[in-house]
C-alpha cells in the first residue's frame, strides 16, 4: 500500500514537472491494514511540494485525499516553504483524519461482565472508541447524559470512605467546579495523605483561584469504579479492561485509542508567514484531552487556556478552513494563535468535543502594560499610556461564518463556542451555537475591539456554570482596577482611558440569544465601547457592568429587561428605543449614563417603577404587538406602540446557519410564552422548568388548595426530570412566596425568577396540606 501511494505521488510530479500550472496530488489512505498507521502519507506529499518550491515552482498545489481514514503519528505540518496549498478531502462522510491508533486485541473474560486485553507497547491513550463510539473512562458517579455537570456529579467523589476502596488511587483524575461556578478545575491524584485525603496536582485551569465546589465533582480513571456498561480502564501494565454492551461482538470490534493532541499545524514565523492555505471537505476525529497541559492566563479575564487545538494556526495569512467536520476531539478544536490575518472558518460542523470550538488568542507581547490576574494592576505612573497594540502578534480581520457548534466543553467548563482574546476585527456571523457549559460566544478583554457579532443563534448556554451569559465579555483592561474607588478616580482624570485598549467599537446586532441560567447578553467587569442593536433576547435580558461607552438600542427582551450593574457617574452609556417586559434591574449605580429613555415596557407597573428612579420620562407601556410570538416571529406590527418611541422594525428570524446541510441538522431554541405584559392571558398555563403551572384565578382553585385568598401559582404537572420535582415540589402544590415577597401570579413568580436565576438556586414557599413549607430550588 505504501509503495502504491508513493508511486501515485511520484507519477503526479513526473507528469507536472516544473510547469507553473496548478499541481494536483492524489493521496490514497493506507490505513486498511491493521497496525499500519499510514505514517506521514500527507506529510510526504507536502515534503515533495517543498522540494518543488526550492526549484522555483510556485504554482498552487492541491492535495486531494481519497476516501478513507488517515491516521497520524505526528501532526500534519504546513509551513511557509509549502507555498499556496489546498488540502482537500472527498467530503466529511468519506475522508477522515484521525489522531488515534487502531488496535487488534484478543479479549478474555476478567470478572463478571468485564473483559481484558493486553496493549502492545507503551502508548497511553485517554479516549477509547469502540466501533466509532466514545466509551466511558471508569468514573464515579456513573455517566448520565442528563446528569448535569460532567453528565453526572457527586459531592462524595473523593470522600475518604470511597478512596479506601481504591487499591491504586494514583493517576485518578478529579474534575470539580469553581466555588462560584466560574468554570472548573482538573486535578491528578498523586497519593493519599495520613488522614485518607487525596494529594492533588493541577488546578491551574482557571484564572480566578478558589476552593473546590462542594457538590459539583466527578472522579475518573479509577479501576474500582469500572462498574457499568461502556466503562474502561487502562492499568499501568497496559492491560485494557472494558465492560462491553451485551450486543457487541467484542472480538471483531473496531478498537481505537487517541494518541495525538494536534492533527494539523499550520505555522510560520513572524518574518515568514504561511500564506494561501485551504483545508476543505475533511472530518477530523480523535485527539487526546489536554486539560492537564500547561495553561496561560488570558490577561485578567477568568480564563486560563491551553494554547493548542486539533487544528492550530500561528503566523498565517489567507488561511481557510471550510466544509469540515470536527468531532470526538479531546481539547480545543481550532486555535488561531498570535499573528494571523484574514483567516476564514466557515461552513463547518463542530460537536462533541472536550474544550472550546474556535479560539482567536493573541500574544500578551502585543498588549501594553498587561495584567494577568483579577487583582493585579499596573500603577498609573508605570503604565504605558499609548493607545492600541504594541506589536502585531494577534489575530485580525478574520471571519467565522456559517458554522454549527454544539456539545463542546464536554470536559473543560471555562470554554466557549467562539472565544476571542487579545484580537482585533473578528467577525462572527450566521453561526448556530448551543449545548455549551458556559458562553456561546466570549470576548475576554477589550483589546482591541472592532469585532462584529451578527445573525447568530445562541441558546442552551451556561448549562454547567453560573453568573454568565449566552454572549459574555470582560473588559478588565488598563483602566480597570479591582478597587472601585481607585478605578473611578483614574478614569475621571483620563476619561478616554477605556478606549486605550478597546480602540474600536464592537458591534452586536441581529442575533438571537437565549440563556436560562444567566443573561442573554452579559457585558461584565468593564466591557467598554460596544454598540448593541436589533437583537432578540429570549430569556435573560441584557446586563452592562462597570464599563463605558455602550449603546444599547432597538433590542427586544422577552420576559425580561435591562440590568445596569455598578455604573460610573459618567459612563456615557445609552439605553433607548428597546422593547422590555420588566422594570430596569439596577444595582449600585452612581449615575444613569448619557441616556436611558424612549423604551417600551410590557405594562404600566414596570414603567412606573423605572420612572421613580428618574429615567424613562418619554418611555411608554403596552403590548408590543408581535406578528406571531408563539412561533418566534417577534417582528412588530405596523400599529405597535414601540414605533412611538423610535423603535425601528427589523427581521427577527434571519439567524443561525444558512448552509443548507448544516441548517437541516441545527436545532433552534425553545420559543418562550409571554409571561408579562398587558396582553398576557392570566388564566393560561405555562411551562416552567419542566412543570406546567398557572395562576390561581378562580374560587374553585382557591378552595381546592385550601388557600385564604385567590392568589398563588398552582403546579399542574411535573416531568420526571423537572428540577422542581427534584427540589421537592409536587403536583397540586401552590407556590405562594419567594425570598422577597408574596407571589400572587405567574408574572410575580417570573419576575423573581428572572432576578435570581443567574445564582443557580433560590428559596420559595409552597402551600401544601394547609401548611406553608420552605423549598430550596436548584435550577441546574
Amino acid at each position: 500500500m505504501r509503495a502504491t501511494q508513493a508511486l501515485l505521488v511520484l507519477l503526479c510530479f513526473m507528469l507536472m514537472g516544473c510547469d507553473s500550472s496548478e499541481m494536483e496530488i492524489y493521496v490514497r489512505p493506507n490505513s486498511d491494514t491493521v497496525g499500519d498507521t499510514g505514517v506521514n502519507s500527507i506529510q510526504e506529499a507536502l515534503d515533495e511540494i517543498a522540494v518543488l518550491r526550492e526549484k522555483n515552482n510556485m504554482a498552487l498545489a492541491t492535495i486531494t485525499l481519497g476516501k478513507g481514514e488517515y491516521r497520524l503519528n505526528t501532526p500534519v505540518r504546513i509551513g511557509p516553504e509549502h507555498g499556496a496549498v489546498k488540502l482537500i478531502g472527498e467530503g466529511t462522510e468519506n475522508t477522515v483524519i484521525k489522531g488515534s491508533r487502531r488496535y487488534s486485541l484478543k479479549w478474555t473474560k476478567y470478572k463478571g461482565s468485564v473483559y481484558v486485553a493486553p496493549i502492545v507497547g507503551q502508548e497511553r491513550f485517554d479516549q477509547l472508541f469502540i466501533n466509532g463510539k466514545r466509551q466511558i473512562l471508569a468514573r464515579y458517579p456513573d455517566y448520565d447524559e442528563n446528569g448535569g455537570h460532567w453528565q453526572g456529579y457527586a459531592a462524595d467523589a473523593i470522600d475518604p470512605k470511597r478512596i479506601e476502596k481504591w487499591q491504586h488511587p494514583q493517576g485518578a483524575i478529579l474534575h470539580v467546579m469553581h466555588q462560584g461556578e466560574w468554570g472548573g478545575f482538573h486535578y491528578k491524584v498523586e497519593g493519599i495523605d495520613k488522614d485518607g485525603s487525596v494529594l492533588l496536582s493541577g488546578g491551574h485551569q482557571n484564572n480566578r483561584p478558589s476552593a473546590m465546589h462542594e457538590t459539583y465533582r466527578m472522579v475518573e480513571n479509577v479501576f474500582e469504579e469500572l462498574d457499568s456498561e461502556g466503562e474502561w480502564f487502562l492499568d499501568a501494565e497496559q492491560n485494557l479492561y472494558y465492560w462491553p454492551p451485551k450486543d457487541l461482538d467484542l472480538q471483531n470490534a473496531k478498537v481505537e485509542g487517541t494518541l495525538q493532541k494536534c492533527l494539523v499545524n499550520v505555522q510560520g514565523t513572524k518574518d515568514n508567514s504561511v500564506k494561501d492555505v485551504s483545508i476543505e471537505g475533511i472530518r477530523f476525529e480523535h485527539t487526546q484531552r489536554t486539560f492537564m497541559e500547561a495553561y496561560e492566563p488570558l490577561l485578567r479575564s477568568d480564563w486560563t487556556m491551553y494554547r493548542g487545538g486539533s487544528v492550530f494556526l500561528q503566523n498565517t495569512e489567507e488561511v481557510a478552513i471550510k466544509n469540515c467536520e470536527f468531532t470526538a476531539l479531546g481539547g480545543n478544536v481550532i486555535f488561531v494563535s498570535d499573528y494571523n490575518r484574514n483567516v476564514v472558518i466557515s461552513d463547518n460542523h463542530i460537536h462533541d468535543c472536550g474544550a472550546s470550538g474556535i479560539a482567536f488568542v493573541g500574544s500578551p507581547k502585543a498588549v501594553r502594560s498587561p495584567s494577568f490576574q483579577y487583582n493585579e494592576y499596573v500603577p498609573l505612573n508605570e503604565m504605558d499610556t499609548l493607545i492600541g497594540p504594541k506589536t502585531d502578534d494577534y489575530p485580525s480581520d478574520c471571519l467565522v461564518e456559517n458554522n454549527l457548534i454544539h456539545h463542546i466543553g464536554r470536559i473543560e467548563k471555562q470554554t466557549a463556542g467562539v472565544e476571542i482574546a487579545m484580537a482585533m476585527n473578528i467577525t462572527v456571523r450566521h453561526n448556530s451555537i448551543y449545548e455549551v457549559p458556559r458562553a456561546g460566544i466570549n470576548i475576554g478583554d477589550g483589546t482591541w475591539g472592532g469585532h462584529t457579532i451578527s445573525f447568530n443563534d445562541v441558546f442552551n448556554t451556561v448549562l454547567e456554570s453560573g453568573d454568565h451569559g449566552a454572549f459574555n465579555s470582560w473588559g478588565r483592561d488598563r483602566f480597570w482596577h479591582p478597587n472601585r474607588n481607585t478605578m473611578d478616580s483614574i478614569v475621571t482624570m483620563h476619561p478616554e482611558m477605556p478606549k486605550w485598549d478597546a480602540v474600536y467599537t464592537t458591534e452586536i446586532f441581529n442575533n438571537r440569544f437565549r440563556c436560562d441560567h444567566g443573561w442573554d447578553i452579559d457585558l461584565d467587569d468593564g466591557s467598554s465601547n460596544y454598540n448593541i442593536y436589533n437583537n432578540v433576547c429570549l430569556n435573560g435580558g441584557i446586563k452592562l457592568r462597570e464599563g463605558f461607552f455602550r449603546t444599547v438600542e432597538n433590542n427586544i427582551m422577552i420576559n425580561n429587561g435591562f440590568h445596569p450593574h455598578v455604573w460610573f457617574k459618567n459612563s456615557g452609556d445609552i439605553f433607548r428605543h428597546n422593547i422590555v417586559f420588566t422594570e430596569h434591574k439596577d444595582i449600585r449605580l452612581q449615575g444613569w449614563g448619557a441616556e436611558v429613555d424612549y423604551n417600551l415596557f410590557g405594562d404600566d407597573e414596570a414603567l412606573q417603577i423605572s420612572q421613580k428612579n428618574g429615567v424613562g420620562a418619554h418611555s411608554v407601556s403596552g403590548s408590543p404587538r408581535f406578528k406571531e410570538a408563539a412561533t418566534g416571529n417577534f417582528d412588530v406590527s405596523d400599529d405597535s406602540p414601540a414605533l412611538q418611541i423610535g423603535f425601528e422594525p427589523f427581521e427577527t428570524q434571519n439567524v443561525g446557519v444558512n448552509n443548507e446541510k448544516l441548517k437541516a441538522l441545527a436545532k433552534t431554541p425553545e420559543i418562550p410564552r409571554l409571561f408579562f405584559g398587558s396582553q398576557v392571558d392570566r388564566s393560561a398555563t405555562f411551562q416552567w422548568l419542566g412543570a406546567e403551572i398557572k395562576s390561581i384565578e378562580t374560587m374553585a382553585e382557591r378552595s381546592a388548595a385550601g388557600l385564604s385568598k385567590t392568589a398563588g401559582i398552582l403546579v399542574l404537572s411535573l416531568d420526571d426530570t423537572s428540577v422542581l420535582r427534584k427540589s421537592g415540589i409536587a403536583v397540586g402544590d401552590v407556590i405562594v412566596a419567594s425570598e422577597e415577597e408574596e407571589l400572587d401570579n405567574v408574572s410575580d413568580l417570573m419576575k423573581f425568577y428572572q432576578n435570581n436565576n443567574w445564582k443557580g438556586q433560590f428559596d420559595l414557599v409552597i402551600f401544601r396540606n394547609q401548611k406553608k413549607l420552605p423549598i430550596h430550588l436548584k435550577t441546574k
Side-chain angles (χ1 to χ4, degrees):
M1 181 64 73
R2 289 187 186 177
T4 301
Q5 175 190 319
L7 181 61
L8 282 168
V9 173
L10 180 61
L11 179 61
C12 289
F13 282 116
M14 288 175 63
L15 290 173
M16 291 180 290
C18 292
D19 188 2
S20 61
S21 60
E22 181 177 337
M23 295 181 284
E24 186 170 356
I25 307 168
Y26 188 80
V27 180
R28 293 187 183 279
N30 59 358
S31 59
D32 299 332
T33 304
V34 173
D36 184 346
T37 60
V39 176
N40 293 330
S41 59
I42 302 171
Q43 195 64 53
E44 286 172 5
L46 286 163
D47 292 344
E48 292 294 335
I49 291 171
V51 171
L52 289 181
R53 298 302 189 209
E54 291 178 354
K55 297 178 181 179
N56 206 32
N57 187 334
M58 295 295 110
L60 172 65
T62 299
I63 301 174
T64 300
L65 305 182
K67 183 177 179 179
E69 296 180 344
Y70 296 78
R71 297 186 186 276
L72 305 178
N73 279 347
T74 58
V76 173
R77 192 193 69 80
I78 302 176
E81 70 274 19
H82 298 118
V85 174
K86 286 186 177 181
L87 183 63
I88 309 295
E90 294 188 6
T92 58
E93 300 85 0
N94 299 312
T95 303
V96 186
I97 292 179
K98 292 187 173 185
S100 60
R101 178 179 175 182
R102 184 173 178 180
Y103 294 92
S104 180
L105 302 179
K106 294 184 179 180
W107 296 93
T108 58
K109 194 71 171 289
Y110 171 68
K111 186 186 299 182
S113 297
V114 177
Y115 287 74
V116 63
I119 300 292
V120 177
Q122 298 302 309
E123 300 168 338
R124 301 292 297 182
F125 49 81
D126 66 358
Q127 291 204 87
L128 176 70
F129 296 85
I130 306 287
N131 290 343
K133 182 179 179 181
R134 181 193 281 113
Q135 303 304 301
I136 303 163
L137 183 56
R139 54 170 280 170
Y140 174 77
D142 288 342
Y143 183 97
D144 175 5
E145 181 60 32
N146 298 312
H149 300 68
W150 291 292
Q151 290 66 59
Y153 60 86
D156 65 341
I158 53 171
D159 187 271
K161 292 183 179 179
R162 176 164 292 278
I163 296 170
E164 286 178 358
K165 304 174 184 177
W166 303 347
Q167 188 173 354
H168 299 291
Q170 291 83 357
I173 300 167
L174 173 66
H175 307 279
V176 59
M177 292 301 294
H178 186 284
Q179 191 174 46
E181 298 183 58
W182 299 335
F185 303 100
H186 312 271
Y187 298 90
K188 182 179 178 181
V189 175
E190 301 292 351
I192 307 298
D193 67 13
K194 58 184 179 181
D195 67 357
S197 300
V198 290
L199 300 172
L200 301 172
S201 63
H204 56 279
Q205 304 89 354
N206 197 295
N207 206 27
R208 297 287 295 274
S210 85
M212 299 181 191
H213 198 282
E214 294 181 355
T215 303
Y216 297 134
R217 302 177 175 194
M218 185 269 283
V219 67
E220 62 178 355
N221 201 35
V222 179
F223 179 68
E224 286 78 8
E225 302 298 347
L226 201 169
D227 57 4
S228 62
E229 185 177 288
E231 290 193 336
W232 65 276
F233 179 81
L234 182 63
D235 70 13
E237 287 74 38
Q238 294 293 93
N239 295 304
L240 176 61
Y241 298 84
Y242 176 56
W243 184 326
K246 293 183 177 61
D247 58 352
L248 178 68
D249 180 3
L250 184 58
Q251 300 300 342
N252 296 304
K254 182 179 181 180
V255 180
E256 300 166 283
T258 58
L259 298 175
Q260 303 300 315
K261 297 181 179 69
C262 178
L263 301 178
V264 177
N265 186 350
V266 185
Q267 188 168 0
T269 65
K270 280 296 300 296
D271 299 326
N272 190 14
S273 61
V274 179
K275 298 179 181 178
D276 301 313
V277 170
S278 183
I279 301 171
E280 302 181 31
I282 302 169
R283 185 164 81 246
F284 294 90
E285 294 183 344
H286 297 183
T287 57
Q288 290 191 327
R289 306 185 300 177
T290 56
F291 54 80
M292 292 303 292
E293 297 294 316
Y295 275 54
E296 62 180 86
L298 302 189
L299 299 184
R300 288 192 286 178
S301 81
D302 286 1
W303 286 51
T304 60
M305 196 173 193
Y306 168 62
R307 193 178 284 269
S310 67
V311 175
F312 183 78
L313 309 182
Q314 189 167 40
N315 296 318
T316 76
E317 299 177 24
E318 309 291 343
V319 172
I321 303 171
K322 300 180 179 181
N323 297 303
C324 292
E325 182 178 2
F326 299 86
T327 186
L329 302 166
N332 301 316
V333 178
I334 300 173
F335 201 103
V336 185
S337 172
D338 294 354
Y339 176 83
N340 291 273
R341 297 294 183 270
N342 301 309
V343 172
V344 175
I345 302 171
S346 67
D347 300 277
N348 301 291
H349 188 189
I350 299 172
H351 62 103
D352 297 285
C353 297
S356 289
I358 300 170
F360 296 89
V361 180
S363 169
K365 294 177 182 178
V367 182
R368 298 184 186 277
S369 299
S371 296
F372 295 98
Q373 210 277 326
Y374 184 90
N375 288 307
E376 290 182 6
Y377 184 79
V378 177
L380 188 59
N381 62 349
E382 300 175 12
M383 187 180 293
D384 183 340
T385 60
L386 295 180
I387 296 172
K390 188 175 183 178
T391 72
D392 61 359
D393 296 300
Y394 57 88
S396 184
D397 303 307
C398 299
L399 173 64
V400 178
E401 182 174 36
N402 257 321
N403 299 283
L404 174 57
I405 305 172
H406 60 95
H407 292 91
I408 53 92
R410 300 294 276 178
I411 290 293
E412 301 180 41
K413 303 309 174 186
Q414 194 69 280
T415 52
V418 179
E419 164 68 5
I420 300 170
M422 295 173 282
M424 181 192 295
N425 297 338
I426 308 299
T427 296
V428 182
R429 68 186 179 210
H430 275 298
N431 303 282
S432 292
I433 305 173
Y434 53 87
E435 302 296 341
V436 296
R438 205 138 169 75
I441 302 171
N442 185 78
I443 297 179
D445 45 65
T447 52
W448 290 272
H451 311 304
T452 299
I453 314 296
S454 61
F455 298 98
N456 300 287
D457 199 10
V458 184
F459 58 97
N460 287 1
T461 61
V462 196
L463 296 178
E464 300 176 60
S465 58
D467 194 9
H468 215 53
F471 171 87
N472 183 83
S473 66
W474 289 290
R476 300 168 189 154
D477 304 322
R478 276 178 284 179
F479 80 89
W480 192 87
H481 195 284
N483 183 294
R484 174 61 186 270
N485 293 330
T486 301
M487 178 165 45
D488 198 7
S489 64
I490 290 171
V491 179
T492 299
M493 290 188 293
H494 304 278
E496 289 299 312
M497 193 176 177
K499 292 185 179 181
W500 289 2
D501 293 303
V503 180
Y504 302 106
T505 302
T506 290
E507 297 199 334
I508 304 174
F509 60 91
N510 290 98
N511 302 280
R512 181 168 64 184
F513 293 113
R514 176 163 185 163
C515 183
D516 286 23
H517 306 287
W519 295 274
D520 295 334
I521 299 176
D522 182 0
L523 269 59
D524 207 0
D525 285 3
S527 301
S528 297
N529 201 4
Y530 278 78
N531 191 8
I532 301 172
Y533 59 95
N534 290 9
N535 299 285
V536 176
C537 298
L538 292 178
N539 186 75
I542 297 177
K543 167 191 159 189
L544 308 182
R545 179 184 171 96
E546 285 184 342
F548 294 83
F549 311 122
R550 286 88 57 101
T551 296
V552 180
E553 58 187 345
N554 224 71
N555 301 281
I556 299 171
M557 282 152 266
I558 302 298
N559 291 333
N560 210 313
F562 183 41
H563 300 254
H565 291 186
V566 200
W567 279 17
F568 296 99
K569 184 176 182 180
N570 297 305
S571 67
D573 289 334
I574 295 171
F575 185 84
R576 65 189 174 199
H577 309 315
N578 300 284
I579 296 174
V580 297
F581 278 70
T582 63
E583 69 275 11
H584 302 326
K585 302 176 188 298
D586 52 293
I587 297 176
R588 292 173 53 201
L589 301 192
Q590 291 183 355
W592 281 93
E595 181 180 8
V596 178
D597 203 353
Y598 296 96
N599 298 293
L600 173 66
F601 289 81
D603 56 42
D604 241 4
E605 180 184 4
L607 172 61
Q608 290 171 10
I609 291 172
S610 295
Q611 287 180 333
K612 286 180 181 178
N613 286 323
V615 294
H618 301 94
S619 297
V620 299
S621 66
S623 170
R625 296 174 188 162
F626 299 126
K627 289 185 177 179
E628 198 172 349
T631 64
N633 183 350
F634 295 105
D635 296 11
V636 299
S637 302
D638 293 340
D639 60 348
S640 171
L643 305 181
Q644 301 172 19
I645 48 89
F647 183 88
E648 297 183 5
F650 64 94
E651 186 179 352
T652 58
Q653 293 182 296
N654 180 25
V655 296
V657 289
N658 283 332
N659 178 296
E660 290 301 323
K661 178 181 177 182
L662 297 178
K663 194 172 184 177
L665 297 173
K667 293 182 179 179
T668 55
E670 179 184 349
I671 302 303
R673 289 280 298 275
L674 303 185
F675 289 117
F676 310 132
S678 56
Q679 300 300 309
V680 173
D681 181 0
R682 299 296 178 185
S683 64
T685 62
F686 297 88
Q687 297 297 320
W688 178 58
L689 298 179
E692 185 179 21
I693 60 175
K694 73 175 298 295
S695 300
I696 295 288
E697 289 289 312
T698 68
M699 285 298 298
E701 292 169 337
R702 169 182 167 179
S703 176
L707 296 164
S708 60
K709 66 176 183 177
T710 309
I713 301 93
L714 177 64
V715 179
L716 298 171
S717 66
L718 288 166
D719 295 342
D720 290 341
T721 59
S722 170
V723 297
L724 273 69
R725 181 187 293 276
K726 293 177 181 178
S727 299
I729 293 178
V731 172
D733 289 346
V734 179
I735 302 170
V736 295
S738 68
E739 300 167 353
E740 302 166 354
E741 57 190 10
E742 293 184 350
L743 302 175
D744 289 342
N745 51 48
V746 170
S747 292
D748 290 345
L749 173 62
M750 289 305 106
K751 285 180 180 179
F752 169 76
Y753 172 65
Q754 297 290 31
N755 280 335
N756 293 277
N757 181 41
W758 64 273
K759 302 174 184 175
Q761 57 186 348
F762 47 80
D763 294 321
L764 294 172
V765 176
I766 64 167
F767 194 78
R768 178 193 296 168
N769 297 330
Q770 310 294 314
K771 294 181 181 180
K772 290 183 178 180
L773 300 173
I775 292 288
H776 183 67
L777 185 65
K778 291 187 175 182
T779 58
K780 289 187 292 183

